[in-house]
């Protein structure tokens, strides 16, 4: 059967493009300007934080957050998951921190909170938590422990826009939080990302890190004047506060983002429903169906085999290919990061073996696209096909 089911569909709609075309007809300024500022304000309101900084990708948001952490906290360790995107760990290394790895919890695919707590030391500069695949990765116990020990939390919400913990949106708990608007996610500005925070200092630093470290990029006059006063011999237009980057986005991305944000909650409600239908129709003896769905909001349908059975796994993949259902083995980031070549020399040769939960996802976990207009009968057909496999 041909299901013709890509990883993502219609994430930039005809209406988005029409709005963009109308905008372009006005011969507007295209570099970062008033639409970027408006999108940042609207995003902050939606999320429930004070400040947001629009950048060109979720990976850039990761890099900015870790760069700000390094400026403020100095070197040390950062606790990271084994199942995440490469930039969550690359940014830690690039900023000179030592990554300390934690296995995932099978019901949330996010870090196991007991293992995080066990690895906190006086060298821990932050916990960089990924809310994997739309699942909430926070627990009361973890938040309490971090608060008590004054260890900052940075949330990566790139895969979980709109998901909540105790009714509050993920990304509004941490000191900083990061989002991605790449095409495969809950909404898309083509490429794009956001750094969010309630902390004025982090906000000003993030704005500067986004644009070459330029002090004139800081939004606040007193902040700028302090640098000008300290550096009287420099042209105030060219004071570079940090060794930074250029990761700005454009008005085009912001116009798309502003048009999409008003429909994000409604789109997410349909995604939540799709995932519930998927899990309720899957054979629970062969596939995991006991994910922690409380507050979850998933742009993916997670298909995880119950048992480590390579032959069955091959049959599942063959069937998905035969039905033209696009999938990713190892979930979004390709499975156990510790197996990746970029970590050779950073972690021990056999270190990857110490994380059995992510190892299971690495070989027997998949994600399939979940988008708002995915027809219900298509989801049920796929479940029937998967359940018939021996
Ligand atoms: C958890 C997570 N963090 C960061 C990123 C990076 O986002 P981007 O692709 O926008 O660079 C991704 C990407 O898919 C991701 O899944």
């Amino acid at each position: 059967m041909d299901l013709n089911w890509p990883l993502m569909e219609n994430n930039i709609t005809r209406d988005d493009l029409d709005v963009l075309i109308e905008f372009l007809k006005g011969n507007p300024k295209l570099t970062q300007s008033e639409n970027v500022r408006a999108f940042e304000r609207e995003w902050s309101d939606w999320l429930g934080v004070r400040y947001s900084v629009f950048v060109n990708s979720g990976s850039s948001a990761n890099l900015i957050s870790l760069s700000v952490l390094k400026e403020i906290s100095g070197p040390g360790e950062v606790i990271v998951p084994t199942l995440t995107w490469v930039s969550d760990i690359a940014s830690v290394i690039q900023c000179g921190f030592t990554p300390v790895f934690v296995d995932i919890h099978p019901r949330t695919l996010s870090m196991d909170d007991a293992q995080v707590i066990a690895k906190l030391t006086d060298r821990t500069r932050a916990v960089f938590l990924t809310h994997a695949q739309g699942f909430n990765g926070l627990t009361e116990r973890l938040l309490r422990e971090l608060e008590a020990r004054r260890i900052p939390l940075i949330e990566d919400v790139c895969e979980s826009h709109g998901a909540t913990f105790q009714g509050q949106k993920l990304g509004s708990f941490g000191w900083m939080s990061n989002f991605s608007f790449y095409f495969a996610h809950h909404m898309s500005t083509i490429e794009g990302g956001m750094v969010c925070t309630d902390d004025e200092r982090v906000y000003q630093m993030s704005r500067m890190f986004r644009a070459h470290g330029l002090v004139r990029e800081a939004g606040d006059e007193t902040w700028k004047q302090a640098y000008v006063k300290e550096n009287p011999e420099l042209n105030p237009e060219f004071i570079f506060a940090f060794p930074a980057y250029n990761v700005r986005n454009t008005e085009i991305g912001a116009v798309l983002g502003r048009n999409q944000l008003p429909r994000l909650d409604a789109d997410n409600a349909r995604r939540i429903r799709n995932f519930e239908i998927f899990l309720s129709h899957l054979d629970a003896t062969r596939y995991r169906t006991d994910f922690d769905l409380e507050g979850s909001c998933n742009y993916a349908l997670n298909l995880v085999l119950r048992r480590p059975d390579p032959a069955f796994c091959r049959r599942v993949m063959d069937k998905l290919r035969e039905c033209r259902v696009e999938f990713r083995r190892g979930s979004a980031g390709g499975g156990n990061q510790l197996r990746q070549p970029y970590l050779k020399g950073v972690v021990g040769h056999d270190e990857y073996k110490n994380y059995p939960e992510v190892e299971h996802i690495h070989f027997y976990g998949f994600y399939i696209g979940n988008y708002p207009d995915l027809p219900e009968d298509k989801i049920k057909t796929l479940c029937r096909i998967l359940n018939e496999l021996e």
Side-chain angles (χ1 to χ4, degrees), residues 56-62 83-88 128 130-133 156-160 178-185 190-193 299 332-333:
N56 60 2
S57 72
S59 305
S60 297
N62 294 159
L83 185 73
T84 184
W85 190 250
V86 55
S87 56
D88 288 67
F128 191 11
T130 298
H131 298 288
Q133 298 271 286
D156 183 325
V157 203
C158 289
E159 300 177 4
S160 303
N178 301 161
F179 289 82
S180 164
F181 305 120
Y182 178 61
F183 186 72
H185 294 179
I190 312 173
E191 299 277 359
Y299 70 82

Side-chain angles (χ1 to χ4, degrees), residues 220-374:
D220 179 78
E221 255 330 289
T222 40
W223 190 277
K224 285 187 225 174
Q225 285 314 318
Y227 275 96
V228 171
K229 215 167 145 202
E230 263 177 45
N231 300 277
E233 74 289 5
L234 294 179
N235 175 351
E237 293 297 308
F238 292 110
I239 303 178
F240 301 97
F242 313 111
Y245 327 102
N246 176 8
V247 293
R248 287 179 296 223
N249 209 306
T250 67
E251 290 289 279
I252 291 176
V255 166
L256 289 172
R258 294 186 71 195
N259 201 52
Q260 294 195 1
L261 187 51
R263 68 168 188 264
L264 178 61
D265 290 339
D267 282 355
N268 281 348
R270 295 169 74 179
R271 288 190 171 96
I272 291 168
R273 174 98 187 102
N274 290 344
F275 194 37
E276 283 167 359
I277 294 169
F278 182 67
L279 292 179
S280 64
H281 285 81
L282 268 187
D283 177 354
T285 65
R286 270 177 271 188
Y287 307 102
R288 284 188 191 167
T289 56
D290 56 348
F291 294 106
D292 182 356
L293 296 184
E294 177 100 41
S296 79
C297 179
N298 207 313
Y299 70 82
L301 303 180
N302 287 95
L303 180 69
V304 180
L305 309 193
R306 244 189 213 291
R307 282 177 294 279
D309 178 341
F312 181 59
C313 188
R314 257 193 314 278
R315 286 196 292 280
V316 169
M317 288 194 282
D318 287 347
K319 187 51 88 179
L320 291 172
R321 286 190 192 105
E322 185 191 312
C323 297
R324 285 212 301 146
V325 177
E326 200 178 356
F327 66 90
R328 291 283 184 271
R329 200 199 88 201
S331 211
N336 190 350
Q337 287 293 314
L338 291 168
R339 287 177 169 268
Q340 295 288 350
Y342 78 91
L343 281 177
K344 285 206 171 89
V346 176
V347 294
H349 182 63
D350 284 342
E351 179 64 10
Y352 71 89
K353 292 180 180 165
N354 297 330
Y355 306 86
E357 294 298 343
V358 73
E359 278 290 278
H360 185 83
I361 299 296
H362 188 94
F363 291 105
Y364 307 108
F366 307 90
Y367 102 76
I368 294 166
N370 173 12
Y371 28 91
D373 48 11
L374 193 59

Side-chain angles (χ1 to χ4, degrees), residues 30-33 35-36 54-55 248-255:
L30 293 177
T31 51
Q32 177 183 294
S33 186
N35 276 287
V36 168
F54 188 36
V55 291
R248 287 179 296 223
N249 209 306
T250 67
E251 290 289 279
I252 291 176
V255 166

